[in-house]
Amino acid sequence: MIPRSISILGRDYKIRRKRMKEFALCDDDSETIWLRSGIKGDVAEQSLLHEIIHGILFRSGSKFQLDEKQEEAITRALEHGLWQSGYRLT
């Protein structure tokens, strides 16, 4: 189940749906994680986990030490590692 909001390093991020090309996006300025309308189940949860990791990197300041490719590589590695180890939001 996808929550309506989540706390990332002490900041509350809203979780909303909209039509878009990407599965999900993390907008740190508005503290909103956008999920594509229509995605459900594991795809939605794994996409949310991915965006939470982006939010953690932003809030911790680590994002500013990485270029886009490095950030995405780290985010994907953590997402897949956590997911494969059984981590779930519920």
Side-chain angles (χ1 to χ4, degrees):
M1 186 170 124
I2 301 296
R4 299 281 296 150
S5 66
I6 193 159
S7 181
I8 299 176
L9 298 179
R11 302 301 293 250
D12 289 330
Y13 278 62
K14 300 176 292 291
I15 300 170
R16 301 292 182 260
R17 301 260 188 178
K18 72 176 182 176
R19 288 184 178 180
M20 57 187 196
K21 178 181 155 186
E22 299 84 0
F23 280 107
L25 291 171
C26 182
D27 182 342
D28 294 298
D29 293 329
S30 69
E31 296 177 348
T32 304
I33 294 175
W34 294 99
L35 295 177
R36 181 197 291 178
S37 297
I39 64 169
K40 300 176 188 172
D42 286 353
V43 174
E45 285 193 43
Q46 195 167 358
S47 297
L48 178 56
L49 175 60
H50 182 98
E51 298 310 322
I52 290 169
I53 295 167
H54 277 298
I56 291 168
L57 291 174
F58 177 82
R59 290 285 160 212
S60 69
S62 299
K63 177 178 182 163
F64 303 106
Q65 299 172 11
L66 305 168
D67 65 35
E68 280 186 44
K69 287 183 179 182
Q70 292 170 321
E71 179 188 356
E72 193 61 26
I74 290 168
T75 300
R76 284 178 185 255
L78 289 170
E79 169 207 333
H80 291 296
L82 288 166
W83 191 260
Q84 292 302 314
S85 69
Y87 178 80
R88 301 297 184 269
L89 295 172
T90 55

Coordinates of all heavy atoms in Angstrom, one line a residue:
M1 N 0.8 -1.2 0.0 CA 0.0 0.0 0.0 C 0.9 1.3 0.0 O 1.9 1.3 0.7 CB -0.9 0.0 1.2 CG -1.9 1.1 1.2 SD -3.1 0.8 2.6 CE -2.9 2.4 3.4
I2 N 0.5 2.2 -0.8 CA 1.3 3.4 -0.9 C 0.7 4.5 0.1 O -0.5 4.8 0.0 CB 1.2 4.0 -2.4 CG1 1.7 3.0 -3.4 CG2 1.9 5.4 -2.5 CD1 3.2 2.7 -3.3
P3 N 1.6 5.0 1.0 CA 1.1 6.0 1.9 C 0.8 7.3 1.2 O 1.3 7.6 0.1 CB 2.3 6.1 2.9 CG 3.5 5.7 2.2 CD 3.0 4.7 1.1
R4 N 0.2 8.2 1.9 CA -0.1 9.6 1.4 C 1.0 10.5 1.6 O 1.2 11.6 1.0 CB -1.4 10.2 2.0 CG -2.6 9.4 1.8 CD -3.3 9.6 0.5 NE -3.7 10.9 0.3 CZ -3.8 11.6 -0.8 NH1 -3.5 10.9 -1.9 NH2 -4.2 12.8 -0.9
S5 N 1.9 10.2 2.6 CA 3.1 11.0 2.8 C 4.1 10.1 3.5 O 3.8 9.0 4.0 CB 2.8 12.2 3.7 OG 2.4 11.8 5.0
I6 N 5.4 10.6 3.5 CA 6.5 9.9 4.2 C 7.5 10.9 4.7 O 7.7 11.9 4.1 CB 7.1 8.8 3.2 CG1 8.0 7.9 4.0 CG2 7.8 9.5 2.1 CD1 8.2 6.6 3.3
S7 N 8.1 10.6 5.8 CA 9.1 11.5 6.4 C 10.5 11.1 5.8 O 10.9 9.9 5.9 CB 9.1 11.4 7.9 OG 10.1 12.3 8.4
I8 N 11.2 12.0 5.3 CA 12.6 11.8 4.8 C 13.5 12.7 5.5 O 13.4 13.9 5.3 CB 12.7 12.0 3.3 CG1 11.7 11.0 2.5 CG2 14.1 11.8 2.8 CD1 11.7 11.3 1.0
L9 N 14.3 12.2 6.4 CA 15.2 12.9 7.3 C 14.6 14.1 7.9 O 15.1 15.2 7.8 CB 16.5 13.3 6.5 CG 17.3 12.1 5.9 CD1 18.5 12.6 5.2 CD2 17.8 11.2 7.1
G10 N 13.4 13.9 8.5 CA 12.7 14.9 9.2 C 11.8 15.9 8.4 O 11.2 16.8 8.9
R11 N 11.7 15.7 7.1 CA 10.8 16.5 6.2 C 9.7 15.6 5.7 O 10.0 14.5 5.2 CB 11.6 17.1 5.1 CG 12.8 18.0 5.5 CD 12.4 19.1 6.3 NE 11.6 20.1 5.6 CZ 12.0 21.3 5.2 NH1 13.2 21.7 5.5 NH2 11.2 22.1 4.6
D12 N 8.5 16.1 5.8 CA 7.4 15.3 5.3 C 7.2 15.6 3.8 O 7.0 16.7 3.3 CB 6.1 15.7 6.0 CG 6.1 15.2 7.4 OD1 6.7 14.2 7.7 OD2 5.5 15.9 8.3
Y13 N 7.3 14.5 3.0 CA 7.0 14.5 1.6 C 5.6 14.0 1.3 O 5.3 12.9 1.8 CB 8.1 13.6 0.8 CG 9.4 14.3 0.6 CD1 10.2 14.7 1.6 CD2 9.9 14.5 -0.7 CE1 11.4 15.3 1.4 CE2 11.1 15.1 -0.9 CZ 11.9 15.5 0.1 OH 13.1 16.0 -0.1
K14 N 4.9 14.7 0.5 CA 3.6 14.2 0.0 C 3.8 13.2 -1.1 O 4.8 13.3 -1.8 CB 2.7 15.4 -0.5 CG 2.4 16.5 0.5 CD 1.7 17.6 -0.1 CE 2.5 18.4 -1.1 NZ 3.6 19.3 -0.6
I15 N 2.9 12.3 -1.2 CA 3.0 11.3 -2.3 C 1.7 11.4 -3.1 O 0.6 11.3 -2.6 CB 3.2 9.8 -1.8 CG1 4.5 9.8 -0.9 CG2 3.2 8.8 -2.9 CD1 4.6 8.5 -0.2
R16 N 1.9 11.8 -4.4 CA 0.8 12.1 -5.2 C 0.9 11.3 -6.5 O 2.0 10.9 -6.9 CB 0.7 13.6 -5.5 CG 0.6 14.5 -4.3 CD -0.8 14.2 -3.6 NE -1.0 15.1 -2.5 CZ -0.9 14.7 -1.2 NH1 -0.5 13.5 -0.9 NH2 -1.1 15.5 -0.2
R17 N -0.1 11.3 -7.3 CA -0.2 10.6 -8.6 C -0.5 11.6 -9.7 O -1.2 12.6 -9.5 CB -1.3 9.5 -8.6 CG -1.2 8.5 -7.5 CD -0.6 7.3 -8.1 NE -0.6 6.2 -7.2 CZ -0.2 5.0 -7.5 NH1 0.2 4.7 -8.7 NH2 -0.2 4.0 -6.6
K18 N 0.1 11.4 -10.8 CA -0.2 12.2 -12.0 C 0.2 11.4 -13.3 O 1.0 10.5 -13.2 CB 0.4 13.5 -12.0 CG 1.9 13.6 -12.2 CD 2.4 15.0 -12.2 CE 3.9 15.1 -12.5 NZ 4.3 16.5 -12.6
R19 N -0.4 11.8 -14.4 CA 0.0 11.3 -15.7 C 1.4 11.8 -16.0 O 1.6 13.0 -16.0 CB -1.0 11.7 -16.8 CG -2.3 11.0 -16.6 CD -3.2 11.3 -17.8 NE -4.5 10.6 -17.7 CZ -5.4 10.8 -18.5 NH1 -5.3 11.6 -19.6 NH2 -6.5 10.1 -18.4
M20 N 2.3 10.9 -16.4 CA 3.6 11.3 -16.7 C 4.3 10.1 -17.4 O 3.9 9.0 -17.3 CB 4.4 11.8 -15.5 CG 4.5 10.9 -14.4 SD 5.3 11.7 -13.0 CE 5.8 10.3 -12.0
K21 N 5.4 10.4 -18.1 CA 6.2 9.4 -18.8 C 6.9 8.5 -17.8 O 7.0 7.3 -18.0 CB 7.1 10.1 -19.8 CG 8.0 9.2 -20.5 CD 8.9 10.0 -21.5 CE 10.2 9.2 -21.8 NZ 11.1 10.0 -22.5
E22 N 7.6 9.1 -16.8 CA 8.4 8.4 -15.9 C 7.5 7.6 -14.9 O 6.4 7.9 -14.7 CB 9.3 9.4 -15.1 CG 10.2 10.2 -15.9 CD 9.6 11.4 -16.5 OE1 8.4 11.7 -16.3 OE2 10.3 12.2 -17.2
F23 N 8.1 6.6 -14.3 CA 7.3 5.9 -13.3 C 7.2 6.7 -12.0 O 6.1 6.7 -11.4 CB 8.1 4.6 -12.9 CG 7.9 3.5 -13.8 CD1 8.9 3.0 -14.7 CD2 6.7 2.8 -13.9 CE1 8.7 2.0 -15.6 CE2 6.5 1.7 -14.8 CZ 7.5 1.4 -15.6
A24 N 8.2 7.5 -11.7 CA 8.1 8.4 -10.5 C 9.1 9.5 -10.6 O 10.1 9.3 -11.3 CB 8.3 7.5 -9.3
L25 N 8.9 10.5 -9.8 CA 9.8 11.7 -9.7 C 9.8 12.2 -8.2 O 8.8 12.2 -7.6 CB 9.5 12.8 -10.6 CG 9.6 12.6 -12.1 CD1 9.0 13.8 -12.8 CD2 11.1 12.5 -12.4
C26 N 11.0 12.6 -7.8 CA 11.0 13.3 -6.4 C 11.3 14.7 -6.7 O 12.3 15.1 -7.2 CB 12.2 12.6 -5.6 SG 12.3 13.3 -4.0
D27 N 10.4 15.6 -6.2 CA 10.5 17.0 -6.3 C 10.9 17.6 -4.9 O 10.0 17.7 -4.1 CB 9.2 17.7 -6.8 CG 9.3 19.2 -7.0 OD1 10.2 19.8 -6.4 OD2 8.5 19.7 -7.7
D28 N 12.2 17.8 -4.7 CA 12.6 18.2 -3.4 C 12.2 19.6 -3.0 O 11.9 19.9 -1.9 CB 14.1 18.1 -3.3 CG 14.6 16.7 -3.4 OD1 14.2 15.9 -2.5 OD2 15.3 16.3 -4.3
D29 N 12.0 20.5 -4.0 CA 11.6 21.9 -3.7 C 10.2 21.9 -3.2 O 9.9 22.6 -2.2 CB 11.6 22.7 -5.0 CG 13.1 22.9 -5.5 OD1 14.0 22.9 -4.6 OD2 13.3 23.1 -6.7
S30 N 9.2 21.1 -3.7 CA 7.9 21.1 -3.2 C 7.6 19.9 -2.2 O 6.5 19.8 -1.7 CB 6.9 20.9 -4.4 OG 7.0 19.6 -4.9
E31 N 8.7 19.2 -1.9 CA 8.6 18.0 -1.0 C 7.5 17.1 -1.4 O 6.6 16.7 -0.6 CB 8.5 18.5 0.4 CG 9.8 19.2 0.9 CD 9.7 19.8 2.3 OE1 8.6 19.8 2.9 OE2 10.8 20.2 2.7
T32 N 7.5 16.7 -2.7 CA 6.5 15.8 -3.2 C 7.1 14.7 -4.0 O 8.0 15.0 -4.8 CB 5.5 16.6 -4.2 OG1 5.0 17.7 -3.4 CG2 4.4 15.7 -4.7
I33 N 6.7 13.5 -3.9 CA 7.0 12.4 -4.7 C 5.9 12.1 -5.6 O 4.7 11.9 -5.1 CB 7.4 11.2 -3.9 CG1 8.7 11.4 -3.1 CG2 7.6 9.9 -4.8 CD1 9.1 10.3 -2.1
W34 N 6.1 12.2 -6.9 CA 5.0 11.9 -7.9 C 5.2 10.5 -8.4 O 6.3 10.1 -8.8 CB 5.2 12.9 -9.1 CG 4.9 14.3 -8.7 CD1 5.8 15.2 -8.4 CD2 3.6 14.9 -8.5 NE1 5.2 16.4 -8.0 CE2 3.9 16.2 -8.1 CE3 2.3 14.4 -8.6 CZ2 2.8 17.1 -7.9 CZ3 1.3 15.3 -8.4 CH2 1.5 16.6 -8.0
L35 N 4.1 9.7 -8.4 CA 4.0 8.4 -9.0 C 3.1 8.5 -10.2 O 2.1 9.1 -10.2 CB 3.5 7.4 -8.0 CG 4.3 7.1 -6.7 CD1 3.5 6.1 -5.8 CD2 5.7 6.6 -7.1
R36 N 3.5 7.7 -11.2 CA 2.7 7.7 -12.4 C 1.3 7.1 -12.1 O 1.2 6.1 -11.4 CB 3.3 6.8 -13.5 CG 2.5 6.7 -14.8 CD 2.9 5.6 -15.7 NE 4.2 5.8 -16.2 CZ 4.8 4.9 -17.0 NH1 4.2 3.8 -17.3 NH2 6.0 5.1 -17.5
S37 N 0.3 7.7 -12.6 CA -1.1 7.2 -12.4 C -1.2 5.8 -13.0 O -0.6 5.6 -14.1 CB -2.1 8.1 -13.1 OG -2.1 9.4 -12.6
G38 N -1.8 4.9 -12.3 CA -2.0 3.6 -12.9 C -1.1 2.5 -12.5 O -1.4 1.4 -12.6
I39 N 0.2 2.9 -12.0 CA 1.1 1.9 -11.6 C 0.6 1.4 -10.2 O 0.2 2.2 -9.4 CB 2.6 2.3 -11.6 CG1 2.9 3.4 -10.6 CG2 3.0 2.6 -13.0 CD1 4.3 3.7 -10.5
K40 N 0.8 0.1 -10.0 CA 0.3 -0.5 -8.7 C 1.3 -1.6 -8.2 O 2.2 -1.9 -8.9 CB -1.1 -1.2 -9.0 CG -2.2 -0.4 -9.5 CD -3.4 -1.2 -9.8 CE -4.4 -0.4 -10.5 NZ -5.5 -1.2 -11.0
G41 N 1.0 -2.1 -7.1 CA 1.7 -3.2 -6.5 C 3.2 -3.0 -6.4 O 3.6 -1.9 -6.0
D42 N 3.9 -4.0 -6.7 CA 5.4 -4.0 -6.5 C 6.0 -2.8 -7.4 O 7.0 -2.2 -6.9 CB 6.0 -5.3 -6.9 CG 5.8 -6.4 -5.9 OD1 5.3 -6.1 -4.8 OD2 6.2 -7.5 -6.2
V43 N 5.5 -2.6 -8.5 CA 6.1 -1.5 -9.4 C 5.9 -0.2 -8.7 O 6.9 0.6 -8.6 CB 5.4 -1.5 -10.8 CG1 5.9 -0.3 -11.6 CG2 5.6 -2.8 -11.5
A44 N 4.8 0.1 -8.1 CA 4.6 1.4 -7.4 C 5.5 1.5 -6.2 O 6.1 2.5 -5.9 CB 3.1 1.5 -7.0
E45 N 5.5 0.4 -5.4 CA 6.3 0.4 -4.2 C 7.8 0.5 -4.5 O 8.5 1.2 -3.8 CB 6.0 -0.9 -3.4 CG 4.7 -0.8 -2.6 CD 4.6 -1.9 -1.6 OE1 5.6 -2.1 -0.8 OE2 3.5 -2.5 -1.5
Q46 N 8.3 -0.2 -5.5 CA 9.7 -0.1 -5.8 C 10.0 1.3 -6.4 O 11.1 1.8 -6.1 CB 10.1 -1.2 -6.8 CG 11.6 -1.4 -6.9 CD 11.9 -2.7 -7.7 OE1 11.1 -3.5 -8.1 NE2 13.2 -2.9 -7.8
S47 N 9.1 1.8 -7.2 CA 9.4 3.2 -7.7 C 9.4 4.2 -6.5 O 10.2 5.1 -6.5 CB 8.2 3.6 -8.7 OG 8.3 2.7 -9.8
L48 N 8.5 4.0 -5.6 CA 8.5 4.9 -4.4 C 9.8 4.8 -3.6 O 10.4 5.8 -3.2 CB 7.3 4.6 -3.5 CG 7.2 5.5 -2.2 CD1 7.2 7.0 -2.5 CD2 6.0 5.1 -1.5
L49 N 10.3 3.6 -3.4 CA 11.5 3.3 -2.7 C 12.7 4.1 -3.4 O 13.5 4.7 -2.8 CB 11.8 1.8 -2.6 CG 13.1 1.4 -2.0 CD1 13.3 2.0 -0.6 CD2 13.3 -0.1 -2.0
H50 N 12.7 4.0 -4.7 CA 13.7 4.6 -5.6 C 13.7 6.1 -5.3 O 14.8 6.7 -5.1 CB 13.5 4.3 -7.0 CG 14.4 4.9 -8.0 ND1 15.5 4.2 -8.5 CD2 14.5 6.1 -8.5 CE1 16.2 4.9 -9.3 NE2 15.6 6.1 -9.3
E51 N 12.5 6.7 -5.3 CA 12.4 8.2 -5.1 C 12.7 8.6 -3.7 O 13.3 9.7 -3.5 CB 11.1 8.7 -5.6 CG 10.8 8.5 -7.0 CD 11.9 8.9 -8.0 OE1 12.5 10.0 -7.7 OE2 12.1 8.3 -9.0
I52 N 12.4 7.7 -2.7 CA 12.8 8.0 -1.3 C 14.3 8.1 -1.2 O 14.9 9.0 -0.5 CB 12.2 7.0 -0.4 CG1 10.7 7.1 -0.3 CG2 12.9 7.0 1.0 CD1 10.0 6.0 0.4
I53 N 15.0 7.2 -1.9 CA 16.5 7.2 -1.9 C 17.0 8.5 -2.5 O 17.9 9.1 -1.9 CB 17.1 6.0 -2.5 CG1 16.7 4.7 -1.8 CG2 18.6 6.1 -2.7 CD1 16.9 3.4 -2.5
H54 N 16.4 9.0 -3.6 CA 16.8 10.3 -4.1 C 16.6 11.4 -3.1 O 17.4 12.3 -2.9 CB 16.0 10.6 -5.4 CG 16.5 10.0 -6.6 ND1 17.7 10.3 -7.2 CD2 15.9 9.1 -7.5 CE1 17.8 9.6 -8.3 NE2 16.8 8.9 -8.5
G55 N 15.5 11.3 -2.4 CA 15.2 12.3 -1.3 C 16.2 12.3 -0.2 O 16.6 13.3 0.3
I56 N 16.6 11.1 0.2 CA 17.6 10.9 1.3 C 18.9 11.6 0.8 O 19.6 12.3 1.6 CB 17.8 9.4 1.6 CG1 16.6 8.9 2.3 CG2 19.1 9.2 2.5 CD1 16.6 7.4 2.5
L57 N 19.3 11.3 -0.4 CA 20.6 11.9 -1.0 C 20.5 13.4 -1.0 O 21.5 14.1 -0.7 CB 20.9 11.3 -2.3 CG 21.3 9.8 -2.4 CD1 21.4 9.4 -3.8 CD2 22.6 9.6 -1.6
F58 N 19.3 13.9 -1.3 CA 19.2 15.4 -1.4 C 19.2 16.0 0.1 O 20.0 16.9 0.3 CB 17.8 15.8 -2.0 CG 17.6 17.3 -2.0 CD1 18.1 18.1 -3.0 CD2 16.8 17.8 -1.0 CE1 17.9 19.4 -3.0 CE2 16.5 19.2 -1.0 CZ 17.1 20.0 -2.0
R59 N 18.4 15.4 1.0 CA 18.3 15.9 2.3 C 19.6 15.8 3.1 O 19.9 16.6 4.0 CB 17.2 15.3 3.1 CG 15.8 15.6 2.6 CD 15.4 17.0 3.1 NE 14.4 17.5 2.2 CZ 14.2 18.8 1.9 NH1 15.0 19.7 2.4 NH2 13.2 19.2 1.2
S60 N 20.4 14.8 2.8 CA 21.7 14.6 3.5 C 22.8 15.4 2.9 O 23.9 15.5 3.5 CB 22.1 13.1 3.4 OG 22.5 12.8 2.1
G61 N 22.5 16.1 1.8 CA 23.6 16.9 1.1 C 24.5 16.1 0.2 O 25.3 16.6 -0.5
S62 N 24.3 14.7 0.2 CA 25.2 13.9 -0.6 C 25.0 14.1 -2.1 O 25.9 14.0 -2.9 CB 25.0 12.4 -0.3 OG 25.3 12.2 1.1
K63 N 23.7 14.5 -2.5 CA 23.4 14.6 -3.9 C 24.3 15.7 -4.5 O 24.7 15.6 -5.7 CB 21.9 15.1 -4.0 CG 21.5 15.3 -5.4 CD 20.0 15.7 -5.4 CE 19.6 15.9 -6.9 NZ 18.1 15.9 -7.0
F64 N 24.7 16.7 -3.8 CA 25.5 17.8 -4.3 C 26.9 17.5 -4.6 O 27.7 18.3 -5.1 CB 25.3 19.0 -3.4 CG 23.9 19.4 -3.2 CD1 23.2 19.1 -2.0 CD2 23.1 20.0 -4.2 CE1 21.9 19.5 -1.8 CE2 21.8 20.3 -4.0 CZ 21.2 20.0 -2.8
Q65 N 27.3 16.3 -4.2 CA 28.7 15.8 -4.4 C 28.8 14.8 -5.6 O 29.8 14.3 -5.9 CB 29.2 15.2 -3.1 CG 29.3 16.1 -2.0 CD 29.7 15.4 -0.7 OE1 30.1 14.3 -0.7 NE2 29.5 16.1 0.4
L66 N 27.6 14.6 -6.2 CA 27.5 13.6 -7.2 C 27.0 14.2 -8.5 O 26.2 15.2 -8.5 CB 26.5 12.5 -6.8 CG 26.8 11.8 -5.5 CD1 25.5 11.0 -5.1 CD2 28.0 10.9 -5.6
D67 N 27.5 13.7 -9.7 CA 26.8 14.1 -10.9 C 25.6 13.2 -11.1 O 25.3 12.3 -10.3 CB 27.7 14.1 -12.1 CG 28.2 12.7 -12.5 OD1 27.5 11.7 -12.3 OD2 29.4 12.5 -12.9
E68 N 24.7 13.5 -12.1 CA 23.5 12.8 -12.3 C 23.7 11.3 -12.5 O 22.9 10.5 -11.9 CB 22.7 13.4 -13.5 CG 22.0 14.7 -13.2 CD 21.1 15.1 -14.3 OE1 20.4 14.3 -14.9 OE2 21.1 16.3 -14.6
K69 N 24.7 10.9 -13.2 CA 24.9 9.5 -13.5 C 25.3 8.8 -12.2 O 24.9 7.7 -12.0 CB 25.9 9.3 -14.6 CG 25.4 9.6 -16.0 CD 26.5 9.4 -17.0 CE 25.9 9.7 -18.4 NZ 26.9 9.4 -19.4
Q70 N 26.2 9.4 -11.4 CA 26.6 8.8 -10.2 C 25.4 8.7 -9.2 O 25.2 7.6 -8.6 CB 27.7 9.6 -9.5 CG 29.0 9.6 -10.2 CD 29.9 10.7 -9.7 OE1 29.5 11.8 -9.3 NE2 31.2 10.3 -9.6
E71 N 24.6 9.7 -9.1 CA 23.4 9.7 -8.2 C 22.5 8.6 -8.6 O 22.0 7.8 -7.8 CB 22.7 11.0 -8.2 CG 21.5 11.0 -7.3 CD 20.6 12.2 -7.4 OE1 20.9 13.2 -8.1 OE2 19.5 12.2 -6.7
E72 N 22.2 8.5 -9.9 CA 21.3 7.4 -10.4 C 21.8 6.0 -10.2 O 21.1 5.1 -9.8 CB 20.9 7.6 -11.8 CG 19.8 6.8 -12.3 CD 18.4 7.1 -11.6 OE1 18.2 8.2 -11.1 OE2 17.6 6.2 -11.6
A73 N 23.1 5.9 -10.4 CA 23.8 4.5 -10.1 C 23.7 4.1 -8.7 O 23.3 3.0 -8.4 CB 25.2 4.6 -10.6
I74 N 24.0 5.1 -7.8 CA 23.9 4.8 -6.3 C 22.4 4.5 -5.9 O 22.1 3.5 -5.2 CB 24.5 5.9 -5.5 CG1 26.0 6.0 -5.7 CG2 24.1 5.8 -4.0 CD1 26.6 7.2 -5.2
T75 N 21.5 5.3 -6.5 CA 20.1 5.1 -6.1 C 19.6 3.8 -6.6 O 18.9 3.0 -5.9 CB 19.2 6.2 -6.7 OG1 19.7 7.5 -6.2 CG2 17.8 6.1 -6.4
R76 N 19.9 3.4 -7.8 CA 19.5 2.1 -8.4 C 20.1 0.9 -7.6 O 19.4 -0.1 -7.3 CB 19.8 2.0 -9.8 CG 18.9 2.8 -10.7 CD 19.3 2.6 -12.2 NE 18.5 3.5 -13.0 CZ 17.6 3.1 -13.8 NH1 17.3 1.8 -13.9 NH2 16.8 3.9 -14.5
A77 N 21.4 1.1 -7.2 CA 22.0 0.0 -6.5 C 21.3 -0.2 -5.1 O 21.0 -1.4 -4.7 CB 23.5 0.3 -6.3
L78 N 21.1 0.9 -4.4 CA 20.4 0.8 -3.1 C 19.0 0.3 -3.3 O 18.5 -0.6 -2.5 CB 20.4 2.1 -2.4 CG 21.8 2.6 -1.9 CD1 21.7 4.0 -1.5 CD2 22.2 1.7 -0.8
E79 N 18.3 0.8 -4.3 CA 16.9 0.3 -4.5 C 16.8 -1.2 -4.7 O 16.1 -1.9 -4.1 CB 16.3 1.1 -5.7 CG 15.0 0.5 -6.2 CD 14.7 0.7 -7.7 OE1 15.2 1.7 -8.2 OE2 14.0 -0.1 -8.3
H80 N 17.6 -1.7 -5.7 CA 17.6 -3.1 -6.0 C 18.1 -3.9 -4.8 O 17.5 -5.0 -4.5 CB 18.4 -3.4 -7.3 CG 17.8 -2.8 -8.5 ND1 16.6 -3.3 -9.0 CD2 18.2 -1.9 -9.4 CE1 16.3 -2.6 -10.1 NE2 17.3 -1.7 -10.3
G81 N 19.1 -3.5 -4.1 CA 19.7 -4.2 -3.0 C 18.6 -4.3 -1.9 O 18.4 -5.4 -1.3
L82 N 18.0 -3.2 -1.5 CA 17.0 -3.2 -0.5 C 15.8 -4.1 -0.9 O 15.3 -4.9 -0.1 CB 16.5 -1.8 -0.2 CG 17.6 -1.0 0.6 CD1 17.1 0.5 0.6 CD2 17.7 -1.5 2.0
W83 N 15.3 -3.9 -2.1 CA 14.2 -4.7 -2.6 C 14.5 -6.2 -2.6 O 13.7 -7.0 -2.1 CB 13.8 -4.2 -4.0 CG 12.5 -4.7 -4.4 CD1 12.2 -5.8 -5.3 CD2 11.2 -4.2 -4.0 NE1 10.9 -6.0 -5.4 CE2 10.2 -5.0 -4.7 CE3 10.8 -3.2 -3.2 CZ2 8.8 -4.8 -4.5 CZ3 9.4 -2.9 -3.1 CH2 8.5 -3.7 -3.7
Q84 N 15.6 -6.6 -3.1 CA 16.0 -8.0 -3.2 C 16.2 -8.6 -1.8 O 16.0 -9.8 -1.6 CB 17.2 -8.2 -4.0 CG 17.0 -7.9 -5.5 CD 15.9 -8.7 -6.1 OE1 15.8 -9.9 -5.9 NE2 15.0 -8.1 -6.9
S85 N 16.6 -7.7 -0.8 CA 16.7 -8.3 0.5 C 15.4 -8.4 1.3 O 15.4 -8.8 2.4 CB 17.7 -7.4 1.3 OG 17.2 -6.1 1.6
G86 N 14.3 -7.9 0.6 CA 13.0 -8.1 1.2 C 12.4 -6.8 1.8 O 11.4 -6.9 2.5
Y87 N 13.1 -5.7 1.7 CA 12.6 -4.5 2.3 C 11.3 -4.1 1.6 O 11.2 -4.0 0.4 CB 13.6 -3.3 2.2 CG 13.0 -2.0 2.8 CD1 13.0 -1.8 4.1 CD2 12.4 -1.1 1.9 CE1 12.4 -0.7 4.6 CE2 11.9 0.0 2.4 CZ 11.9 0.3 3.8 OH 11.3 1.4 4.3
R88 N 10.2 -3.8 2.4 CA 9.0 -3.3 1.8 C 8.5 -2.2 2.7 O 8.8 -2.1 3.9 CB 7.9 -4.4 1.8 CG 8.3 -5.6 0.9 CD 8.4 -5.2 -0.6 NE 8.7 -6.3 -1.4 CZ 9.9 -6.8 -1.7 NH1 11.0 -6.3 -1.2 NH2 10.0 -7.8 -2.6
L89 N 7.7 -1.3 2.2 CA 7.2 -0.1 3.0 C 6.1 -0.6 4.1 O 6.0 0.1 5.1 CB 6.5 0.9 2.1 CG 7.5 1.6 1.1 CD1 6.7 2.5 0.2 CD2 8.5 2.4 1.9
T90 N 5.5 -1.7 3.8 CA 4.4 -2.2 4.7 C 4.9 -3.2 5.7 O 5.9 -3.8 5.5 CB 3.2 -2.7 3.9 OG1 3.7 -3.7 3.0 CG2 2.5 -1.7 3.1

